[in-house]
Amino acid sequence: MADVRDDVLGAFDGERPPDRALIDDCVHCGFCLPSCPTYVLWGEEMDSPRGRIHLMKQGLDGAPLSDEMVGHFDACLGCLACVTACPSGVRYDELIDQTRVQVERRHPRTRAERAVRGAVFALFPYPRRLRVLRGPLALYRRVGLDRLGRKLSRHLPAALATMEELAPVIRRAPRLPARVAARGPRRAVVGLLTGCVQAAFFGQVGAATARVLAREGCDVVVPRGQGCCGALSGHSGRRSEAARFARATIDTFDAAGVDFVVTDSAGCGSAMKEYAELLPDDPRAARFAARTRDVTELLVELGPVAPRHPVRRTVAYHDACHLAHAQRIRSAPRELLRGIPGLTLVEPAEADLCCGSAGVYNLLEPEPARELGDRKAERIRATGADLLVAGNPGCLLQITAALRRAGTELPTAHTVELLDASLRGPAR
Ligand code: SF4
Ligand code: SF4
């Protein structure tokens, strides 16, 4: 029998090419165009959702997978604002996933691209490897080398300069215990995904998530030995690598015996909710996806029981794309923030437009990511807020770097960190 991969249809081979029926759902109305960050930046049809769908169709009809075509697919942030905007329900999310896997498998990358991608995917999904960087990074910040690094960064290759700019401030966070007991009557047993980048650099967010859940009546299980959920690989077309991470994540949380699997990272939540599509032959995947929750989603589902203390801040809430567009979670974080006495919530203009973070997009496509970051920072500055809040640490790093470029140091927090501050009350 012929290998399906030999069955080449122009740009794509026979192994899960972009689905022609999904492509045909697009009626070319253009309603998605104003929501697409790359179209907003460049005004190029082929850098819009409609244009990219047209390219997929051309590829199925025999056009080769040229560098130019790949460039338009690579430039897509995968933000899925077009899915929200499309009145015809076009599944661009599925189409771009199918396309990226083909591009990853079939398109020869340049040596420089291979080097950046190789480094990113050998490092970021592995919490132990990332943890090794914590000490040097903290030292880098502490002795002020970051100021020098920022000056030198304009002479570095773009991806390295971006990494320098985005490097997080390392905050102390004690390792979470394997179980945090519910305060008061137990309402649910939840497993907390600490993942990869979150575990290594945002331990304080994980700790706040566990404290908030416990105060709201959840036993929080933090399985040892867990790792990346596969989001970074999956959103970049590395399907078999993503499937390997997904299987390991299911094994870990199935063994933990929890009611829900909770994450405080928007990208991880959206990836885990798609496990059934990633692992169609594994009956556990759909069950896992069904009990996956973003932390804000679960907190609203359970309803508040813990008393809130005032937090007198004016907060600009930024919608992470993988929360707002991929998971359709917009009201839950706002409801939680509005439930904090004394807090004023303000909404930046162009809320639907991606900040340019998009997983590892800002490392792989640094120039458009930077432009989008600057645009987002401007909109946030215009709100006059004294705190920026989002449900995804990647967005916070991206916007912080852009604000700094604009000469503004605005404090940032994850939604659960603010909620945690409110539940804990003033320090005594
Ligand atoms: S996913 Fe985002 S960047 Fe990609 S086509 Fe849709 S709106 Fe544009
Ligand atoms: S993707 Fe949807 S909104 Fe965009 S052109 Fe096609 S049908 Fe219209």
Side-chain angles (χ1 to χ4, degrees), residues 41-53:
L41 285 185
W42 305 320
E44 288 287 336
E45 175 67 18
M46 290 309 146
D47 284 308
S48 77
R50 184 174 66 184
R52 292 183 177 115
I53 291 170

PDB file of all heavy atoms in Angstrom, residues 41-53:
ATOM      1  N   LEU A  41      -2.064  45.260  10.498  1.00  0.00           N
ATOM      2  CA  LEU A  41      -0.712  45.825  10.378  1.00  0.00           C
ATOM      3  C   LEU A  41      -0.348  46.148   8.937  1.00  0.00           C
ATOM      4  O   LEU A  41       0.212  47.194   8.643  1.00  0.00           O
ATOM      5  CB  LEU A  41       0.343  44.839  10.910  1.00  0.00           C
ATOM      6  CG  LEU A  41       0.498  44.657  12.416  1.00  0.00           C
ATOM      7  CD1 LEU A  41       1.674  43.724  12.706  1.00  0.00           C
ATOM      8  CD2 LEU A  41       0.718  45.977  13.126  1.00  0.00           C
ATOM      9  N   TRP A  42      -0.625  45.205   8.040  1.00  0.00           N
ATOM     10  CA  TRP A  42      -0.056  45.306   6.690  1.00  0.00           C
ATOM     11  C   TRP A  42      -1.076  45.548   5.575  1.00  0.00           C
ATOM     12  O   TRP A  42      -0.687  45.896   4.459  1.00  0.00           O
ATOM     13  CB  TRP A  42       0.743  44.022   6.343  1.00  0.00           C
ATOM     14  CG  TRP A  42       1.792  43.709   7.364  1.00  0.00           C
ATOM     15  CD1 TRP A  42       2.611  44.601   7.996  1.00  0.00           C
ATOM     16  CD2 TRP A  42       2.128  42.426   7.900  1.00  0.00           C
ATOM     17  NE1 TRP A  42       3.439  43.949   8.886  1.00  0.00           N
ATOM     18  CE2 TRP A  42       3.170  42.615   8.850  1.00  0.00           C
ATOM     19  CE3 TRP A  42       1.661  41.128   7.683  1.00  0.00           C
ATOM     20  CZ2 TRP A  42       3.737  41.564   9.566  1.00  0.00           C
ATOM     21  CZ3 TRP A  42       2.240  40.080   8.384  1.00  0.00           C
ATOM     22  CH2 TRP A  42       3.255  40.296   9.321  1.00  0.00           C
ATOM     23  N   GLY A  43      -2.356  45.313   5.859  1.00  0.00           N
ATOM     24  CA  GLY A  43      -3.389  45.504   4.838  1.00  0.00           C
ATOM     25  C   GLY A  43      -3.236  44.602   3.624  1.00  0.00           C
ATOM     26  O   GLY A  43      -3.717  44.919   2.537  1.00  0.00           O
ATOM     27  N   GLU A  44      -2.570  43.472   3.797  1.00  0.00           N
ATOM     28  CA  GLU A  44      -2.349  42.532   2.683  1.00  0.00           C
ATOM     29  C   GLU A  44      -3.387  41.417   2.727  1.00  0.00           C
ATOM     30  O   GLU A  44      -3.506  40.743   3.745  1.00  0.00           O
ATOM     31  CB  GLU A  44      -0.964  41.874   2.816  1.00  0.00           C
ATOM     32  CG  GLU A  44       0.205  42.776   2.530  1.00  0.00           C
ATOM     33  CD  GLU A  44       0.340  43.064   1.042  1.00  0.00           C
ATOM     34  OE1 GLU A  44      -0.140  42.244   0.237  1.00  0.00           O
ATOM     35  OE2 GLU A  44       0.884  44.131   0.710  1.00  0.00           O
ATOM     36  N   GLU A  45      -4.069  41.213   1.619  1.00  0.00           N
ATOM     37  CA  GLU A  45      -5.104  40.172   1.575  1.00  0.00           C
ATOM     38  C   GLU A  45      -4.547  38.796   1.996  1.00  0.00           C
ATOM     39  O   GLU A  45      -5.181  38.064   2.734  1.00  0.00           O
ATOM     40  CB  GLU A  45      -5.695  40.103   0.158  1.00  0.00           C
ATOM     41  CG  GLU A  45      -6.707  38.997  -0.076  1.00  0.00           C
ATOM     42  CD  GLU A  45      -8.021  39.161   0.700  1.00  0.00           C
ATOM     43  OE1 GLU A  45      -8.326  40.277   1.169  1.00  0.00           O
ATOM     44  OE2 GLU A  45      -8.746  38.136   0.826  1.00  0.00           O
ATOM     45  N   MET A  46      -3.341  38.460   1.524  1.00  0.00           N
ATOM     46  CA  MET A  46      -2.805  37.126   1.828  1.00  0.00           C
ATOM     47  C   MET A  46      -2.358  36.995   3.287  1.00  0.00           C
ATOM     48  O   MET A  46      -1.988  35.923   3.728  1.00  0.00           O
ATOM     49  CB  MET A  46      -1.653  36.776   0.878  1.00  0.00           C
ATOM     50  CG  MET A  46      -2.115  36.517  -0.539  1.00  0.00           C
ATOM     51  SD  MET A  46      -3.488  35.317  -0.591  1.00  0.00           S
ATOM     52  CE  MET A  46      -4.416  35.937  -1.974  1.00  0.00           C
ATOM     53  N   ASP A  47      -2.349  38.099   4.006  1.00  0.00           N
ATOM     54  CA  ASP A  47      -2.094  38.040   5.450  1.00  0.00           C
ATOM     55  C   ASP A  47      -3.375  38.278   6.234  1.00  0.00           C
ATOM     56  O   ASP A  47      -3.348  38.798   7.357  1.00  0.00           O
ATOM     57  CB  ASP A  47      -1.003  39.050   5.843  1.00  0.00           C
ATOM     58  CG  ASP A  47       0.368  38.544   5.435  1.00  0.00           C
ATOM     59  OD1 ASP A  47       0.705  37.400   5.785  1.00  0.00           O
ATOM     60  OD2 ASP A  47       1.078  39.267   4.714  1.00  0.00           O
ATOM     61  N   SER A  48      -4.488  37.909   5.626  1.00  0.00           N
ATOM     62  CA  SER A  48      -5.780  37.938   6.329  1.00  0.00           C
ATOM     63  C   SER A  48      -6.284  36.493   6.414  1.00  0.00           C
ATOM     64  O   SER A  48      -5.785  35.621   5.701  1.00  0.00           O
ATOM     65  CB  SER A  48      -6.785  38.782   5.534  1.00  0.00           C
ATOM     66  OG  SER A  48      -7.258  38.040   4.419  1.00  0.00           O
ATOM     67  N   PRO A  49      -7.283  36.237   7.264  1.00  0.00           N
ATOM     68  CA  PRO A  49      -7.840  34.874   7.327  1.00  0.00           C
ATOM     69  C   PRO A  49      -8.372  34.427   5.961  1.00  0.00           C
ATOM     70  O   PRO A  49      -8.108  33.304   5.521  1.00  0.00           O
ATOM     71  CB  PRO A  49      -8.982  35.004   8.339  1.00  0.00           C
ATOM     72  CG  PRO A  49      -8.753  36.297   9.053  1.00  0.00           C
ATOM     73  CD  PRO A  49      -7.927  37.174   8.196  1.00  0.00           C
ATOM     74  N   ARG A  50      -9.094  35.335   5.301  1.00  0.00           N
ATOM     75  CA  ARG A  50      -9.674  34.985   3.988  1.00  0.00           C
ATOM     76  C   ARG A  50      -8.564  34.658   2.993  1.00  0.00           C
ATOM     77  O   ARG A  50      -8.656  33.683   2.246  1.00  0.00           O
ATOM     78  CB  ARG A  50     -10.505  36.176   3.503  1.00  0.00           C
ATOM     79  CG  ARG A  50     -11.237  35.936   2.220  1.00  0.00           C
ATOM     80  CD  ARG A  50     -12.147  37.105   1.904  1.00  0.00           C
ATOM     81  NE  ARG A  50     -11.420  38.342   1.631  1.00  0.00           N
ATOM     82  CZ  ARG A  50     -12.001  39.530   1.392  1.00  0.00           C
ATOM     83  NH1 ARG A  50     -13.328  39.626   1.421  1.00  0.00           N
ATOM     84  NH2 ARG A  50     -11.288  40.601   1.144  1.00  0.00           N
ATOM     85  N   GLY A  51      -7.499  35.445   3.018  1.00  0.00           N
ATOM     86  CA  GLY A  51      -6.384  35.203   2.102  1.00  0.00           C
ATOM     87  C   GLY A  51      -5.692  33.883   2.400  1.00  0.00           C
ATOM     88  O   GLY A  51      -5.337  33.128   1.489  1.00  0.00           O
ATOM     89  N   ARG A  52      -5.499  33.596   3.668  1.00  0.00           N
ATOM     90  CA  ARG A  52      -4.817  32.344   4.025  1.00  0.00           C
ATOM     91  C   ARG A  52      -5.683  31.137   3.648  1.00  0.00           C
ATOM     92  O   ARG A  52      -5.169  30.109   3.193  1.00  0.00           O
ATOM     93  CB  ARG A  52      -4.466  32.339   5.523  1.00  0.00           C
ATOM     94  CG  ARG A  52      -3.399  33.351   5.863  1.00  0.00           C
ATOM     95  CD  ARG A  52      -2.976  33.338   7.319  1.00  0.00           C
ATOM     96  NE  ARG A  52      -1.904  34.305   7.520  1.00  0.00           N
ATOM     97  CZ  ARG A  52      -2.000  35.405   8.274  1.00  0.00           C
ATOM     98  NH1 ARG A  52      -3.100  35.662   8.938  1.00  0.00           N
ATOM     99  NH2 ARG A  52      -0.977  36.232   8.373  1.00  0.00           N
ATOM    100  N   ILE A  53      -6.994  31.271   3.816  1.00  0.00           N
ATOM    101  CA  ILE A  53      -7.890  30.166   3.410  1.00  0.00           C
ATOM    102  C   ILE A  53      -7.799  29.983   1.894  1.00  0.00           C
ATOM    103  O   ILE A  53      -7.757  28.852   1.388  1.00  0.00           O
ATOM    104  CB  ILE A  53      -9.344  30.456   3.876  1.00  0.00           C
ATOM    105  CG1 ILE A  53      -9.419  30.375   5.407  1.00  0.00           C
ATOM    106  CG2 ILE A  53     -10.328  29.487   3.236  1.00  0.00           C
ATOM    107  CD1 ILE A  53     -10.734  30.863   6.008  1.00  0.00           C
TER     108      ILE A  53
END
